[in-house]
Amino acid sequence: MAPPSEASASPAPEIASTSASGSPEPSTSTAEASTSAAVDPAAARMERWKALKSRAKKSTATNMKEVYAERRRQAVDPSTNSKLQRKKAEAEFKLARAEALDNGLDFERKRAWDWTVEEAERWDRRVEKKKKHVADVAFQDYSQSARKMYKKSMRELNPDLEGYAKEKAKLLKDGQVVETEDGELIVIDKDGSFYAEKDSLAFVENKPSKEAVDRLVSDLKKAEDQRMRKRKGGDDEDVTYINDKNKQFNQKLARAYGQYTKEIRDSFERGTMI
């Protein structure tokens, strides 16, 4: 029996060539890609809803933790914490001093190593100022009281540095340059609006800002309220005190023993006290 010919024995290559030369059919990967491109909107919304639900659950848990922590902080008295911190600082201070003494070291000198010279001097000035303030609290005389009020007003004074800088820049631009006897060149204003002298009248035309006027009005109201608080008893009140502290003390005595001493005080006023 004769072997088959090459044309009849190789049909597979012909099929492959035909499929290669003809129009290609859509493959499985292309179909999967087209299927994934058209995602179901319901499934997408479901995934988004699940993500939002998980985020809300996590936020709720975090909020509950913060609420419990805030409640625990509110349950603790702040003064208790401050006392504990102060006691801890005192214990650490005593322990450090005991260790320094056991080692034969100068404790104050060792403490000074932790600060610079500027910090130490600033602290000494602060301590000295505090001592003077404590010693200066009591009433001495009216001149001393006026001085204290003046110093307090100066501490509360807030000058308008920005406006001052603008006026000074204007002076340097429009002012007159003169030479002193020492050969120094200075700038002066012609009308005395910035550097006023005894004969200067430029302050008459000065118009303060609305903020400055409001600040002046508030200061006057504050001073008037303080005066009215001191005189809240009225002009007809009997002055039995020398200062506010003594007045408060007398009021406490009157609340405690006034009902028992009323007859004696009335007898004093009538002049019938034996």
Side-chain angles (χ1 to χ4, degrees), residues 179-209:
E179 184 177 359
T180 61
E181 297 178 355
D182 300 335
E184 182 181 0
L185 298 178
I186 59 174
V187 181
I188 61 174
D189 49 351
K190 300 178 181 179
D191 54 355
S193 58
F194 191 78
Y195 294 113
E197 298 178 352
K198 61 179 181 179
D199 298 330
S200 301
L201 298 177
F203 65 90
V204 178
E205 300 178 358
N206 183 26
K207 294 182 179 180
S209 61

Side-chain angles (χ1 to χ4, degrees), residues 84-100 107 110-111:
L84 292 176
Q85 293 292 336
R86 185 168 60 253
K87 289 182 179 179
K88 180 181 178 182
E90 292 177 357
E92 292 178 351
F93 176 80
K94 292 180 180 178
L95 179 61
R97 183 171 59 184
E99 291 179 353
F107 178 66
K110 185 178 179 181
R111 284 186 65 200

